[in-house]
Structure formats: structure tokens, C-alpha cells
Amino acid sequence: MTDHKLFIYNTLSRTKELFRPVNPGHVGMYVCGPTVYGDAHLGHARPAITFDLVFRYLKHLGYKVRYVRNITDVGHLEHDADEGEDKIAKKAKLEQLEPMEVAQHFTNRFHQAMDKLGCLPPSIEPHATGHIIEQEQLVQQILDAGYAYESNGSIYFDVEKYNKDHKYGILSGRNLEDVINASRELDGVGEKRNQVDFALWKKAQPEHIMRWPSPWGDGFPGWHCECTAMGRKYLGAQFDIHGGGMDLVFPHHECEIAQAVASQGEQMVRYWMHNNMITINGQKMGKSLGNFITLDEFFNGSHEKLEQAYSPMTIRFFILQAHYRSTVDFSNEALQASQKGLERLMEAFAQMERVEPVADGALNEAYAAELTEKCYAALDDDFNSPIMISHLFDACRVINQLADKKQTITPEGLEALKQTFRTFAVDILGLRAEAEGNADREEAFGKAIDMLLELRAKAKAAKDWATSDLIRDELGALGFEIKDTRDGATWKLAK
Ligand code: ZN
């Protein structure tokens, strides 16, 4: 086990805290996953990549990490309040599909996008619809504790009552008066006692297709319930990290804290982590602004705001080049700069294979050890990936000098440097050579060999046996098997 002092910024305490897991050696991490009613976009990429870095780094440090990321397939209503249509049911109605067909389709699409971005799959990916019983149990516990009430077949959380005994708003820093004032503009309270109360269980109207039986009649769970219920089921009544985008702090995570405290008397989560948001050319992303770009559109460059396609690794690197708590602004210029930066890093990585070490090299293992320490120091400071990347860029300059023979390194030093790059660039940042780039390169490589064989055929035709044999022998020495056939020659690369 590691002796690292890892500091994590806790949204709840608003300070960086030394990370101490509930169970030594183990980490439980819950991250709010997508509502699966549309294609994954940048808003999905940032938390996925942020918590992928956290997952990878904690695993690297030797923790046994259980990473739970849910799929929201019911209960997320159109206006994020307790009114409006279920987002998935609405899509299903439009497309004349079963709601679960919509959810499955976009879950598959989400997985494909995450895979392209190099995000490791979570340890458990629970679906809200698969945990209706657990959510009903949570609602019952809150009712039993006296912090919820039934109204016309729906169950609401009694925020005012809760606020008297505990404090509502500790995560977002809002107090109840602010929340009440902010919500006064909206329509009347309807069946709620107070506008700020939120639904734990909603009665299903006759036309509502996603419905389950419950002690309070047919209905469906409120959105906030699923994460509290599933987090507790898979990670226990107390677990380490709960993450998501900053937009989830209020009301979603604030409500989760209230539900946890109301149902079990104490909080469930030790460290609340939130990634900041992404803007596009300085604007909030939104369908009405015409800047809503899906990940696939980034990957194939088909959106009108994009000057070119951007590979998944460019997107990943771009996101990791900012600290997760900073805002990120997407623009073509910024993405092109990231693309160049990533190329520089991967080229240096490849270039190390061509460096010829010398026994009395000026650099040795100490250089790699120092680089490793700096990278760890950056990551231990609340996962500061941009600082870590800047250290790798410094090393790229040294690698270029080594390749140009303007600097020397010992064999052990070179091995250690390669290992440092593998650890930080590949294992922890999750960067990998682009599949598409490789395909292009392989194609060019194949064409070059074909061209050499054509030259050999011409030499043979001109009875220039010396040139013909030279090409065959040299290719053979490089590991190519050349076979002469009636129609010319074929080649393959021997293993
Ligand atoms: Zn959630």
C-alpha cells in the first residue's frame, strides 16, 4: 500500500482534505451517470474522463476501487423539477419505441463513446429501473423518520422539517430562505406543502407508461432517490467518494445528502467531488444556441461549428490539460493546440525506442526518479493533471535532445524513463496511440513495400539481377518474406 499523501478537494468542506478511506486499502466511488435518452456529448465526456483519472490513479496507488456509475433510465423529468414528462418516456413516445429500447440504444451508444475516449468501464453499472424496490425502501425509511409526507399518491420530502433538525443546503452553501425565494417565481405549490419540497415518489398518471406498484399506488421514483439507494446498496452506508458535474451540486446532490441523513441519521459520503463545466466558444452548451455537439460529431467533424474532426484521444487530452475544477472552453484553436501537444507527447514516447543509450550517459535513473516524483506530487494535489502533463512535456524536450544525440543517457536511465512515461501517460492519463492514425500509417507502410517490389520487378525485367537481389535481400533482412508468383511478388512481415 502506498505512502502517498493524496489531497482531495471536498466540495462539502470547501478545502483540500487528506484522503483517508472508510476502509483502509479500499475505495468506494459513486459517480452520477447519464440519463440515456440522447447521444453522449461533451457534458458526458468531462465527468467520465475526470473520474476515469481518479479511478486509474487510485488503482495505481494500490487501492482496491469499487467504481459505481449508474444509468438513469427513469425519473429524470423534463424540467428537472418534479413536473414535466420523463425524458426517456417522451423520446419513446416520439419514436414509437418501448422506453427500455430507447434506454438500451443510448446506453450502448454511451458505452461506445466511453470506450473510444479510453474510459475504463465502472465496476458496477446499476440501472435505476433495476432498483425500484431499493428506492421504495428508501422512501419508506424517510417516511418512517417523519421527513416525508404523502399527498395525492405522491411522496414528497419535507425540506422545512428537515431543515429544522439538520441543515439543508450544506453542499451548495444555500440556505433555505434563498431557495424558497428563488422558487417563488414558479407556479403554485400544487400538492406540495412547500415549493422547495422535492418528490421521492410520483404517482403515475393513467397515460404514464413507466410505472411500478408501491405501497402508495402505481408510480415511479423521483430522480434523486436512485443514487442514494444504489450508492448505499453497492458501497455501504458510508463510502468515500461521490462525484459528478458541478451542475449536480444543486439540487441533485443536495437532495441526496438530505435523503441519506433523513433515512439513516448520518451522511453517506465522505468526499464530494465535482468537475467544472464546459463552454463552447465562451457560451454555455445548449440545443437552442446551435452549439450542442455530440461526441460522434467531434470524432467525425460533421458539426458546422467544427473546422475538422477531432480524435477521441484529442478530446481526452484536451480535457486532461485542464484541472477538473477549472472551466474548459472548447474552440477549434484550443482543440488544434491539444492535438499538436498530444502528437508531441506520443512522438517523444515513440522516439525513446530509437535512443541509443551509453554506459557513461550524462543522465541516469535519477532523472526518471525526479520526473516520477514531480508527477506524483501533481496528482497527489487534487489530481492536478495539467501540472503533471507539463512535467511530461519538459521530459519530451530532453527526449528530443537524446534522439538528436545532444544529450546522453545510461541504459538503466532510458529504461526508467520509458517506464515513467508508460506509468503516467498510458496507465494513469489513459492515453493511447490512435487506432485511426495507426491504420493510416500501416497503409502508407504497405504501399511503400509494394513500390519496392514494383521496382524489383522492373529491375528483373531489365535483367538487372544485382538490384533485384539487393531489394529482396534487404527486405528479407528486415523480416519480410518475399514470395515470387506467376503474377509478380507478394510479401508478408514474418513474426
Ligand atoms: Zn446522481
Side-chain angles (χ1 to χ4, degrees), residues 172-186:
S172 58
R174 300 177 196 214
N175 63 50
L176 189 56
E177 282 65 47
D178 296 342
V179 181
I180 291 171
N181 288 335
S183 55
R184 221 164 244 159
E185 323 276 307
L186 300 170

Side-chain angles (χ1 to χ4, degrees), residues 30 32 70 223 227 242 252-253 256:
Y30 190 99
C32 292
N70 64 298
W223 172 40
C227 295
H242 192 323
H252 186 48
H253 291 165
E256 277 193 48

